[in-house]
Amino acid sequence: MTWGWVGTRGTWANEAANFSMTEMTKLGVNWTAIALSALQDHPQATQINYQDEPAVTDTEVIWAIDKAHELGLKVCLKPVVNCANGVWRAHINFFDMDVPCEPKWSEWFASYTAFILHYAGIAQDSGCEMFCVGCEMVQTDRRAAEWRALISQVREVYTGVITYNCDKYQETNVTWWDAVDVISSSGYYPIDSWEERVATLEAFAAKHDKPFFFMEAGCPSRQGSSFLPNDWGLEGPVSLEEQDEYYRVMLAKIGSKPWFRGFMLWDWPAQLYPETEAARNDDYCMYGKPAGKTIEAFYRQQV
């Protein structure tokens, strides 16, 4: 399960966050992706502000890792960059060739490398079993040389397992999977396309001698979301049944495939809504919802 997104300062390392993570383990979870966000101003900005508010503090990050380990979970630390103006990080992009007086890939990767290395050091010192070097950075994926250089630097400070979380439908477009230890992607596939996607992913996985899993996958409890599970802003009435059906189909289609290594389901916030309000909650979290029982039954059978 993914825990703590987006990682807003003051929402971790408190009683509510402790309760949240403890409740999450009741679903049979054995791994968690602790996900935090840093901001750059817009997609063409070259400075990532990872130590400023609203990002969580290092103390909060270490608290979350230690708490997860205390609860018997393995941890993937997942620092993510977002754009403060609301544009999705997949659109971070620059000219392929440097142009004077224009922002450059070299400038952005310098700042991104400092950001990632900072958290790689925390992952090493706190014993994280996995580290994710990036998430859904679609326009950056073509910059293979820069990603290889970044991962090489991460390996100088972090000795655990390294993954990269590509976006949905992008698994076959990344050319530098050999640089990481584990391949992961965001599995937000429509409920009626799982047959086709499983066939495509099985063929993809067969070409790589590496484990493959979904670093993200999930569906809001909202009518229509099973066909657009990645659209968190989709408008519609609450539907706990549609969320549950999505999970039932996804788990049945790919969950037990021998080449597929599992999920970091999206998502479980640090500050949970009251369980009595679950029937009115239309977000991804499955706390107190039928989907939670479906996931628990599947996880306990697998683990």
Side-chain angles (χ1 to χ4, degrees):
M1 190 76 68
T2 298
W3 184 87
W5 185 253
V6 291
T8 303
R9 188 165 298 187
T11 62
W12 295 12
N14 54 41
E15 185 176 345
N18 180 76
F19 174 79
S20 166
M21 196 180 293
T22 302
E23 288 295 301
M24 182 180 74
T25 65
K26 295 179 181 179
L27 271 66
V29 173
N30 64 345
W31 273 86
T32 184
I34 293 177
L36 59 100
S37 172
L39 295 174
Q40 60 183 67
D41 290 342
H42 51 79
Q44 281 68 57
T46 58
Q47 186 63 42
I48 299 166
N49 304 306
Y50 59 90
Q51 294 185 317
D52 301 330
E53 290 193 44
V56 287
T57 65
D58 291 352
T59 300
E60 289 176 291
V61 175
I62 294 166
W63 175 90
I65 296 167
D66 289 347
K67 182 63 183 179
H69 282 151
E70 177 188 319
L71 291 168
L73 304 178
K74 293 183 178 180
V75 175
C76 175
L77 186 59
K78 183 182 179 182
V80 179
V81 62
N82 275 338
C83 297
N85 69 349
V87 176
W88 181 32
R89 76 189 77 91
H91 298 291
I92 294 171
N93 199 12
F94 305 95
F95 296 154
D96 283 338
M97 297 183 64
D98 286 355
V99 175
C101 300
E102 297 291 346
K104 301 169 180 62
W105 278 116
S106 58
E107 297 169 343
W108 183 84
F109 265 104
S111 183
Y112 187 78
T113 297
F115 163 57
I116 291 296
L117 289 178
H118 176 77
Y119 290 104
I122 292 177
Q124 177 70 17
D125 293 342
S126 56
C128 288
E129 289 80 0
M130 186 183 293
F131 184 71
C132 185
V133 297
C135 175
E136 301 173 346
M137 310 287 288
V138 178
Q139 296 290 355
T140 76
D141 287 351
R142 70 183 188 273
R143 306 296 296 190
E146 286 95 333
W147 279 108
R148 291 180 187 280
L150 167 63
I151 293 165
S152 178
Q153 291 182 68
V154 169
R155 292 197 187 280
E156 293 179 5
V157 299
Y158 176 71
T159 58
V161 175
I162 294 175
T163 190
Y164 170 72
N165 175 188
C166 76
D167 192 33
K168 58 198 175 296
Y169 299 101
Q170 304 303 314
E171 294 93 349
T172 58
N173 291 335
V174 176
T175 62
W176 39 273
W177 286 126
D178 59 290
V180 301
D181 304 308
V182 173
I183 298 170
S184 64
S185 71
S186 292
Y188 297 109
Y189 293 116
I191 193 170
D192 59 352
S193 72
W194 276 109
E195 291 282 356
E196 179 272 329
R197 288 312 301 170
V198 169
T200 298
L201 292 174
E202 184 169 10
F204 162 77
K207 296 178 180 179
H208 297 273
D209 186 24
K210 295 179 185 292
F212 170 75
F213 78 108
F214 285 150
M215 177 60 82
E216 293 185 19
C219 179
S221 48
R222 195 178 306 151
Q223 194 172 84
S225 287
S226 64
F227 293 94
L228 285 171
N230 61 296
D231 188 352
W232 53 267
L234 181 71
E235 296 184 1
V238 175
S239 179
L240 306 188
E241 297 76 17
E242 185 162 344
Q243 181 188 48
D244 187 43
E245 177 62 15
Y246 182 86
Y247 275 110
R248 289 179 181 274
V249 170
M250 180 180 72
L251 295 175
K253 295 297 184 182
I254 197 171
S256 299
K257 295 290 185 181
W259 51 269
F260 181 71
R261 300 300 183 89
F263 306 87
M264 295 280 193
L265 295 177
W266 192 268
D267 72 320
W268 198 272
Q271 306 288 308
L272 282 175
Y273 49 79
E275 190 171 9
T276 54
E277 296 180 8
R280 298 189 295 277
N281 181 276
D282 67 351
D283 211 342
Y284 286 89
C285 184
M286 62 293 295
Y287 176 59
K289 302 175 184 177
K293 295 186 181 299
T294 296
I295 292 162
E296 180 184 2
F298 175 82
Y299 275 3
R300 294 199 182 281
Q301 180 185 46
Q302 295 296 314
V303 176

